[in-house]
Amino acid sequence: MAGRSLPISPYSPSKHLRPPDTSVCRKQLISFNSNSNSNFHFRCKLQFLSGVDVFMNRSRLGSNQVWRIRSDVRSESCEVSKSAPGSFKFKEKLKVEVVERDGNGDEFAPWWEEFPKRWTIVVLCFSAFLLCNMDRVNMSIAILPMSSEFHWNSTTVGLIQSSFFWGYLLTQIAGGIWADTVGGKRVLAFGVIWWSVATVLTPVAAKLGLPFLLIVRAFMGIGEGVAMPAMNNLLSKWVPVAERSRSLALVYSGMYLGSVTGLAFSPFLIHSYGWPSVFFSFGSLGTVWAALWLNKAYSSPLEDPGLRPEEKKLIFQNRVSEEPVKRIPWGLILSKAPVWALITCHFCHNWGTFILLTWMPTYYNQVLGFNLTESGLFCVLPWLTMAFSANLGGWIADTLVSKGYSVTTVRKVMQSIGFLGPAFFLSQLGHVDSPAMAVVCMACSQGSDAFSQSGLYSNHQDIAPRYSGVLLGLSNTAGVLAGVFGTAATGYILQHGSWDEVFEVAIGLYLVGTVIWNLFSTGEKIID
C-alpha cells in the first residue's frame, strides 16, 4: 500500500483506513477555496510515515451537507460544514494547517510577506539615509542661535561646518573596503549607531569649548562616512540591473527627505526647548533603526534563509560572482579613465551640493531677510523637489534602459541634466528681485541636481559591480574634499566678498564636470 493515494467520497459510509506500519500522522494539509455561495473546492491530504497518501476532493456541496471523515490516526470524528467554513474542526482535531488559495491554486499570504525582500533592504537603507541627513542638517539651523550664544564669526562657522567632513573623509575608502569584505549590513549598522551617539554628544561638546565641538563633529562624520559605501555594496548584491536607478533614487531621496524633516522640525524644537533639543531628539532615533536593521537585514541574498526562490532567481539573473572580495585591484581600478571621470565629476558635483546643504539657511537669513523659522521652512522646498525629481529620474533612466538605450547614453544624459540644470538656475540668482523667485531658483537648482542619482551615483555599480563599495568610497572621498574645501571657502568668501562669487565658483565646476563626464564616462562594466 506504500505510496498509494486512496480517494474518499463524502457520500460513502465512514471507513477505517489503517496504514500498514504505523498510525502516526506525519503531515496534513488542508486547502480551501470559496468562489461563490454554493461552490467551493476542498482538498485534504493525509500523509503517513508509511507512505500512504489519503486525498479528499470535492468541488460542490449541497446546502446542508456535512462531511464526516474518520481515520484511525485519531479516534475522534472531525466535521467540516459548509455553513461554517471558517471554523474547521480539522485544525483543532488533526492539528492541520489551513491554507487559502486563489483561483490559480497559489497560496494567499499577508502583503508584508509578499513584499519583495530586496525592496525591504532598499526601504531600510532609505530610512538610514533619512536619519543621516536629519542629523547632518540640524547644525545648519542650530548654528544660528549657537553662533549668537558663543559669539562665532563667519570664518568660525565655516570651520565648524567643515569639521564634519574631516571625519567623513577618513572613512570613505575604509568603509568601502570594509563593506566589500565583511558585508554591508554590519558596516551600515556601525555607521548609524556611531553617528547617532556623536549627534547626542554635540551640545555637551559645544558647551565644553570649540575644540571639543570640532572633534565631535568629526566623529559624527566618521559614522556617516561609511554609510554610502555600505549602501552601495548592499544594493549591488540585492538589486538587479533593471531596478538599479530607481532603487538608488529612492535611497538617496531619503537624504533629501531627511533634510526636509530636519529643516522643518529644527526651528520648532529650538523655539520650544532650546537648540540642544535638536541634537538629543534626532540622535536618539538611531537606536530604533538599528533594532529593525539587525533583525531584518542581510548583507547578501545568499545569507537570507527566508528569501523566496522566485525572488532569488530574479536577483541572480545577470549577476556577478558571489565570491567574497579578498584583494582590491587598486592598479587596475586607478588605470581606467572612466574611474577618474567619476572621481573628478563627484568632486565637481559635491562642491555645489554641500554649499547649498550647509549654507542655504544662512543665505535665506542674510540675503533674503528670513528669520530662523522662515529660513528652515523655505529650505524645505528645494529638498522636496530633489526627493521628487530623484525618483522621477530613476524611473526615467530604468525605463530608457529597458527600452534598449545603452546604459552609457542614459548615464550621460542624466548627469548632464544634473550638472547643467543647477548651473543655469544658480546663475539666475543674481538677477532675481524677490525672495520668492530666489527660493524658486534654489528649488529648481536642487531639483535638477537630483538627476545625478541616475548618473554618476549609479555608475559605480555599472563599471565595477564587485568593487562598488570601494569605488564609491574612492569617488566620494573626492566629493568629501569638495565639501571640506567648499564649505570652508564659502565662509572665507563671504567674509571678504559676496554670495555672487560663491555661486560663480560652483557654476564653473558644474560646467567642467559636464565636459569631463561626456568625454570619458561609460556605463559598461570595465572591471570584473
Side-chain angles (χ1 to χ4, degrees):
M1 184 179 288
R4 296 175 58 196
S5 297
L6 304 178
I8 297 178
S9 170
Y11 303 106
S12 62
S14 300
K15 296 181 180 180
H16 294 274
L17 301 175
R18 186 181 303 279
D21 302 320
T22 179
S23 61
V24 179
C25 183
R26 184 178 75 193
K27 178 181 178 182
Q28 305 87 16
L29 172 65
I30 292 177
S31 58
F32 170 73
N33 267 341
S34 180
N35 298 320
S36 69
N37 292 332
S38 60
N39 291 282
F40 69 88
H41 178 75
F42 181 88
R43 181 173 181 266
C44 179
K45 175 182 177 182
L46 301 179
Q47 187 178 60
F48 300 94
L49 289 175
S50 60
V52 178
D53 293 345
V54 180
F55 294 87
M56 290 161 283
N57 294 277
R58 190 62 185 166
S59 298
R60 184 180 183 90
L61 291 178
S63 59
N64 297 314
Q65 288 177 341
V66 175
W67 280 12
R68 298 181 181 275
I69 303 168
R70 184 186 299 275
S71 171
D72 284 342
V73 177
R74 301 277 187 257
S75 59
E76 302 179 61
S77 296
C78 304
E79 295 187 358
V80 180
S81 173
K82 179 178 180 291
S83 60
S87 56
F88 288 107
K89 300 301 182 183
F90 282 105
K91 188 170 184 179
E92 299 174 3
K93 299 293 184 180
L94 296 181
K95 307 298 183 185
V96 298
E97 177 187 0
V98 178
V99 182
E100 291 188 57
R101 299 177 183 271
D102 60 21
N104 297 322
D106 298 325
E107 293 184 11
F108 287 113
W111 68 267
W112 57 87
E113 293 182 8
E114 293 289 340
F115 191 73
K117 189 59 182 287
R118 65 190 184 278
W119 284 95
T120 299
I121 300 296
V122 171
V123 171
L124 286 172
C125 288
F126 161 87
S127 59
F129 276 58
L130 182 80
L131 295 178
C132 176
N133 263 35
M134 283 177 62
D135 291 341
R136 187 187 300 185
V137 303
N138 55 14
M139 178 59 81
S140 64
I141 294 293
I143 199 72
L144 297 174
M146 291 173 73
S147 60
S148 177
E149 178 178 336
F150 298 111
H151 308 291
W152 295 330
N153 57 30
S154 296
T155 301
T156 303
V157 170
L159 182 65
I160 294 170
Q161 298 276 43
S162 67
S163 63
F164 166 87
F165 298 105
W166 304 346
Y168 196 67
L169 176 66
L170 293 176
T171 52
Q172 291 298 310
I173 298 176
I177 296 173
W178 192 15
D180 285 346
T181 53
V182 306
K185 174 182 177 177
R186 298 178 186 176
V187 179
L188 189 55
F190 161 82
V192 174
I193 294 171
W194 185 278
W195 88 56
S196 297
V197 171
T199 301
V200 171
L201 293 177
T202 298
V204 179
K207 293 182 183 297
L208 290 175
L210 182 61
F212 293 97
L213 178 60
L214 296 178
I215 292 172
V216 169
R217 291 294 293 176
F219 267 65
M220 181 182 172
I222 288 174
E224 294 204 2
V226 304
M228 289 179 66
M231 177 276 301
N232 217 40
N233 172 274
L234 284 160
L235 296 194
S236 70
K237 296 180 183 298
W238 276 97
V239 179
V241 176
E243 299 174 356
R244 179 171 296 161
S245 293
R246 76 190 79 164
S247 64
L248 281 168
L250 178 62
V251 171
Y252 282 113
S253 68
M255 297 178 65
Y256 310 142
L257 293 177
S259 297
V260 169
T261 305
L263 294 170
F265 283 95
S266 291
F268 169 76
L269 291 172
I270 290 172
H271 280 302
S272 301
Y273 306 104
W275 63 263
S277 64
V278 175
F279 301 98
F280 294 144
S281 58
F282 287 4
S284 62
L285 295 175
T287 57
V288 179
W289 180 90
L292 287 172
W293 178 255
L294 295 174
N295 184 49
K296 297 292 185 181
Y298 293 89
S299 292
S300 166
L302 294 176
E303 299 178 12
D304 189 347
L307 186 65
R308 291 177 297 164
E310 58 270 23
E311 184 173 10
K312 182 178 290 187
K313 180 180 179 181
L314 174 64
I315 292 172
F316 280 93
Q317 287 177 344
N318 303 319
R319 283 287 311 278
V320 297
S321 171
E322 281 299 314
E323 297 179 4
V325 174
K326 298 180 180 179
R327 185 183 65 86
I328 308 299
W330 291 109
L332 179 62
I333 291 174
L334 296 176
S335 67
K336 302 294 185 179
V339 171
W340 285 104
L342 190 57
I343 293 171
T344 304
C345 291
H346 209 142
F347 180 91
C348 295
H349 172 266
N350 277 26
W351 183 284
T353 299
F354 280 128
I355 286 176
L356 296 180
L357 176 68
T358 55
W359 284 97
M360 194 187 305
T362 303
Y363 172 79
Y364 285 162
N365 178 257
Q366 293 181 352
V367 178
L368 304 183
F370 297 148
N371 59 32
L372 178 65
T373 301
E374 292 171 336
S375 295
L377 292 176
F378 280 108
C379 283
V380 165
L381 182 59
W383 295 110
L384 282 174
T385 308
M386 291 184 81
F388 171 77
S389 57
N391 286 282
L392 174 63
W395 281 98
I396 292 174
D398 283 346
T399 300
L400 291 175
V401 171
S402 67
K403 289 184 178 297
Y405 290 90
S406 72
V407 177
T408 299
T409 299
V410 172
R411 298 289 179 249
K412 288 185 176 182
V413 169
M414 291 297 163
Q415 190 54 47
S416 295
I417 296 173
F419 276 146
L420 296 178
F424 172 77
F425 289 108
L426 288 181
S427 68
Q428 302 306 303
L429 281 174
H431 306 291
V432 298
D433 54 4
S434 70
M437 287 303 300
V439 172
V440 169
C441 283
M442 281 287 193
C444 292
S445 173
Q446 294 290 78
S448 53
D449 176 279
F451 277 78
S452 298
Q453 312 310 328
S454 302
L456 72 87
Y457 281 97
S458 297
N459 196 233
H460 308 83
Q461 297 180 34
D462 295 328
I463 65 177
R466 286 196 71 203
Y467 308 101
S468 57
V470 171
L471 191 57
L472 180 60
L474 189 63
S475 74
N476 206 37
T477 297
V480 174
L481 287 174
V484 172
F485 296 136
T487 304
T490 298
Y492 178 82
I493 292 173
L494 291 177
Q495 195 164 354
H496 300 86
S498 66
W499 278 99
D500 287 340
E501 294 171 308
V502 171
F503 296 138
E504 286 170 3
V505 174
I507 291 169
L509 289 173
Y510 280 137
L511 297 177
V512 169
T514 304
V515 174
I516 294 175
W517 183 257
N518 283 280
L519 287 177
F520 299 107
S521 69
T522 180
E524 305 301 320
K525 184 169 68 174
I526 61 174
I527 303 172
D528 287 323

